[in-house]
Amino acid sequence: QVQLVESGGGLVQPGGSLRLSCAASGSIFSINHMGWYRQAPRKQRELVATVSSGGSTNYADFVKGRFTISRDNAKDTVYLQMNSLKPEDTAVYYCNANIVEYGSGRYSAHWGQGTQVTVSS
């Protein structure tokens, strides 16, 4: 069984910064892409950023230049550094990872439980 556990959310003022972390644990053989998605009230979940096992990154246009995704393969952990936060960044942020579990032979998508980020003065 695989778990993704997020941390680092909270309340921050506009212009502030937060760093999210997501650690994968369990019966992990390998991890391909890891990423962050978010869902604001009454909106659909949307991609924020992804990072491949080799370190290639992809960002949604609305976070380019403000957010940075990174990962530590030795720790099976992905991070999201969020700077210059805006009220419209308020959402529940979810970690996602494509993981091959021991014995499965194929990648499957796993999600964290979500962490609330609120940007407000």
Side-chain angles (χ1 to χ4, degrees), residues 3 8-9 13 17 24 27 33 35 39-40 46-47 50-51 68 77-78 80 88-89 95 101 104 108 110-111 113:
Q3 279 191 315
Q13 292 187 341
S17 298
S27 182
H33 282 73
Q39 188 166 17
E46 60 185 358
L47 171 72
T50 62
V51 58
T68 302
T77 299
V78 62
L80 186 68
E88 51 264 43
D89 293 319
C95 173
E101 298 181 58
S104 74
S108 58
H110 295 265
W111 293 90
Q113 80 285 357

Short mmCIF file of all heavy atoms in Angstrom, two decimals, residues 3 8-9 13 17 24 27 33 35 39-40 46-47 50-51 68 77-78 80 88-89 95 101 104 108 110-111 113:
data_model
loop_
_atom_site.label_atom_id
_atom_site.label_comp_id
_atom_site.label_asym_id
_atom_site.label_seq_id
_atom_site.Cartn_x
_atom_site.Cartn_y
_atom_site.Cartn_z
N GLN A 3 1.17 5.53 0.44
CA GLN A 3 0.56 6.73 1.01
C GLN A 3 1.33 7.96 0.56
O GLN A 3 2.57 7.92 0.47
CB GLN A 3 0.58 6.68 2.54
CG GLN A 3 -0.53 5.87 3.16
CD GLN A 3 -0.61 6.08 4.66
OE1 GLN A 3 0.41 6.08 5.34
NE2 GLN A 3 -1.80 6.27 5.17
N GLY A 8 2.59 21.59 5.16
CA GLY A 8 3.08 22.91 4.83
C GLY A 8 2.04 23.94 4.47
O GLY A 8 2.37 25.12 4.25
N GLY A 9 0.78 23.55 4.39
CA GLY A 9 -0.27 24.52 4.09
C GLY A 9 -0.52 25.45 5.26
O GLY A 9 0.04 25.29 6.34
N GLN A 13 -0.41 35.99 4.17
CA GLN A 13 -0.87 37.25 3.59
C GLN A 13 -0.48 37.34 2.12
O GLN A 13 0.49 36.70 1.69
CB GLN A 13 -0.26 38.42 4.36
CG GLN A 13 -0.76 38.57 5.77
CD GLN A 13 -0.25 39.83 6.44
OE1 GLN A 13 0.73 40.42 6.00
NE2 GLN A 13 -0.92 40.26 7.50
N SER A 17 4.92 33.75 1.28
CA SER A 17 5.42 32.49 0.75
C SER A 17 5.03 31.32 1.64
O SER A 17 4.84 31.48 2.85
CB SER A 17 6.96 32.53 0.65
OG SER A 17 7.39 33.55 -0.22
N ALA A 24 6.06 10.30 -0.16
CA ALA A 24 5.46 9.02 -0.51
C ALA A 24 6.11 7.92 0.33
O ALA A 24 7.32 7.94 0.58
CB ALA A 24 5.67 8.73 -1.99
N SER A 27 5.00 0.47 -0.23
CA SER A 27 5.61 -0.55 -1.09
C SER A 27 5.92 0.04 -2.47
O SER A 27 5.28 -0.29 -3.46
CB SER A 27 4.67 -1.75 -1.21
OG SER A 27 5.26 -2.76 -2.00
N HIS A 33 6.37 10.53 -12.65
CA HIS A 33 6.04 11.92 -12.42
C HIS A 33 5.46 12.13 -11.03
O HIS A 33 4.74 11.29 -10.50
CB HIS A 33 5.03 12.42 -13.47
CG HIS A 33 5.64 12.72 -14.79
ND1 HIS A 33 6.06 11.74 -15.65
CD2 HIS A 33 5.93 13.89 -15.40
CE1 HIS A 33 6.57 12.29 -16.75
NE2 HIS A 33 6.50 13.60 -16.62
N GLY A 35 3.61 15.56 -8.83
CA GLY A 35 3.09 16.88 -9.12
C GLY A 35 2.14 17.41 -8.07
O GLY A 35 1.83 16.72 -7.09
N GLN A 39 -7.56 22.70 -5.97
CA GLN A 39 -9.00 22.83 -6.20
C GLN A 39 -9.55 23.92 -5.29
O GLN A 39 -9.50 23.79 -4.06
CB GLN A 39 -9.71 21.51 -5.95
CG GLN A 39 -11.18 21.53 -6.35
CD GLN A 39 -11.78 20.15 -6.41
OE1 GLN A 39 -11.24 19.18 -5.87
NE2 GLN A 39 -12.90 20.02 -7.09
N ALA A 40 -10.05 24.97 -5.90
CA ALA A 40 -10.69 26.05 -5.17
C ALA A 40 -12.17 25.76 -5.03
O ALA A 40 -12.73 24.95 -5.80
CB ALA A 40 -10.46 27.38 -5.90
N GLU A 46 -7.24 21.55 -10.80
CA GLU A 46 -6.39 21.96 -11.91
C GLU A 46 -4.92 21.68 -11.62
O GLU A 46 -4.50 21.69 -10.47
CB GLU A 46 -6.58 23.45 -12.21
CG GLU A 46 -6.26 24.39 -11.07
CD GLU A 46 -6.57 25.85 -11.38
OE1 GLU A 46 -7.01 26.17 -12.51
OE2 GLU A 46 -6.36 26.69 -10.48
N LEU A 47 -4.18 21.46 -12.69
CA LEU A 47 -2.75 21.21 -12.58
C LEU A 47 -2.03 22.48 -12.16
O LEU A 47 -2.30 23.56 -12.69
CB LEU A 47 -2.20 20.73 -13.92
CG LEU A 47 -0.69 20.62 -14.05
CD1 LEU A 47 -0.19 19.44 -13.24
CD2 LEU A 47 -0.29 20.48 -15.51
N THR A 50 4.31 19.87 -12.40
CA THR A 50 4.78 18.49 -12.32
C THR A 50 6.29 18.46 -12.49
O THR A 50 6.89 19.38 -13.06
CB THR A 50 4.15 17.61 -13.40
OG1 THR A 50 4.54 18.09 -14.69
CG2 THR A 50 2.63 17.58 -13.29
N VAL A 51 6.88 17.36 -12.01
CA VAL A 51 8.31 17.14 -12.18
C VAL A 51 8.54 15.67 -12.45
O VAL A 51 7.95 14.80 -11.79
CB VAL A 51 9.10 17.62 -10.93
CG1 VAL A 51 8.64 16.93 -9.66
CG2 VAL A 51 10.60 17.47 -11.14
N THR A 68 7.88 27.12 -7.59
CA THR A 68 8.95 26.22 -8.02
C THR A 68 8.71 24.83 -7.47
O THR A 68 8.56 24.67 -6.25
CB THR A 68 10.32 26.72 -7.56
OG1 THR A 68 10.55 28.04 -8.06
CG2 THR A 68 11.43 25.80 -8.07
N THR A 77 10.11 12.40 -2.13
CA THR A 77 9.40 13.60 -1.68
C THR A 77 9.41 14.66 -2.77
O THR A 77 10.43 14.85 -3.45
CB THR A 77 10.04 14.15 -0.40
OG1 THR A 77 9.97 13.17 0.63
CG2 THR A 77 9.33 15.41 0.07
N VAL A 78 8.27 15.33 -2.90
CA VAL A 78 8.15 16.45 -3.84
C VAL A 78 7.80 17.70 -3.05
O VAL A 78 7.09 17.63 -2.04
CB VAL A 78 7.12 16.15 -4.94
CG1 VAL A 78 5.72 15.95 -4.36
CG2 VAL A 78 7.12 17.24 -6.00
N LEU A 80 6.79 22.08 -3.22
CA LEU A 80 6.29 23.20 -4.00
C LEU A 80 6.57 24.48 -3.22
O LEU A 80 5.96 24.72 -2.18
CB LEU A 80 4.78 23.07 -4.27
CG LEU A 80 4.21 24.14 -5.21
CD1 LEU A 80 4.75 23.95 -6.64
CD2 LEU A 80 2.69 24.09 -5.23
N GLU A 88 -6.13 34.61 -5.13
CA GLU A 88 -6.68 33.61 -6.05
C GLU A 88 -5.92 32.28 -6.01
O GLU A 88 -6.33 31.31 -6.65
CB GLU A 88 -6.71 34.14 -7.49
CG GLU A 88 -5.40 34.74 -7.98
CD GLU A 88 -5.37 36.25 -7.83
OE1 GLU A 88 -5.80 36.78 -6.77
OE2 GLU A 88 -4.90 36.92 -8.78
N ASP A 89 -4.82 32.22 -5.28
CA ASP A 89 -4.11 30.96 -5.07
C ASP A 89 -4.75 30.14 -3.94
O ASP A 89 -4.35 28.99 -3.70
CB ASP A 89 -2.65 31.21 -4.71
CG ASP A 89 -1.85 31.81 -5.86
OD1 ASP A 89 -2.06 31.38 -7.01
OD2 ASP A 89 -1.04 32.72 -5.60
N CYS A 95 -1.20 16.55 -3.69
CA CYS A 95 -0.01 15.92 -4.26
C CYS A 95 -0.44 14.71 -5.10
O CYS A 95 -1.39 14.00 -4.74
CB CYS A 95 0.89 15.47 -3.11
SG CYS A 95 2.31 14.50 -3.59
N GLU A 101 4.19 -0.07 -7.64
CA GLU A 101 4.34 -0.79 -6.38
C GLU A 101 5.02 -2.14 -6.65
O GLU A 101 4.90 -2.71 -7.74
CB GLU A 101 2.97 -1.03 -5.74
CG GLU A 101 2.25 0.25 -5.38
CD GLU A 101 0.91 -0.02 -4.72
OE1 GLU A 101 0.87 -0.70 -3.68
OE2 GLU A 101 -0.11 0.45 -5.27
N SER A 104 3.44 -5.08 -8.81
CA SER A 104 2.33 -4.66 -9.68
C SER A 104 2.73 -4.63 -11.15
O SER A 104 1.93 -4.93 -12.02
CB SER A 104 1.82 -3.29 -9.26
OG SER A 104 2.74 -2.27 -9.66
N SER A 108 0.56 3.43 -11.38
CA SER A 108 -0.79 3.84 -11.03
C SER A 108 -0.71 5.18 -10.32
O SER A 108 0.29 5.49 -9.65
CB SER A 108 -1.48 2.81 -10.15
OG SER A 108 -0.74 2.59 -8.97
N HIS A 110 -1.51 8.01 -7.61
CA HIS A 110 -1.85 8.11 -6.19
C HIS A 110 -1.99 9.57 -5.80
O HIS A 110 -1.29 10.43 -6.35
CB HIS A 110 -0.76 7.45 -5.34
CG HIS A 110 -0.65 5.98 -5.56
ND1 HIS A 110 -1.30 5.06 -4.76
CD2 HIS A 110 0.02 5.28 -6.50
CE1 HIS A 110 -1.01 3.85 -5.20
NE2 HIS A 110 -0.22 3.95 -6.25
N TRP A 111 -2.89 9.83 -4.86
CA TRP A 111 -3.18 11.19 -4.42
C TRP A 111 -3.00 11.33 -2.91
O TRP A 111 -3.29 10.39 -2.16
CB TRP A 111 -4.61 11.58 -4.78
CG TRP A 111 -4.86 11.69 -6.24
CD1 TRP A 111 -5.26 10.71 -7.08
CD2 TRP A 111 -4.72 12.87 -7.04
NE1 TRP A 111 -5.37 11.19 -8.37
CE2 TRP A 111 -5.05 12.53 -8.36
CE3 TRP A 111 -4.33 14.18 -6.77
CZ2 TRP A 111 -5.02 13.44 -9.41
CZ3 TRP A 111 -4.30 15.11 -7.81
CH2 TRP A 111 -4.64 14.73 -9.11
N GLN A 113 -4.02 13.58 0.67
CA GLN A 113 -5.31 13.95 1.24
C GLN A 113 -5.62 15.43 1.04
O GLN A 113 -6.77 15.85 1.25
CB GLN A 113 -5.32 13.61 2.74
CG GLN A 113 -4.62 14.62 3.65
CD GLN A 113 -3.10 14.56 3.59
OE1 GLN A 113 -2.52 13.71 2.90
NE2 GLN A 113 -2.44 15.44 4.33
#
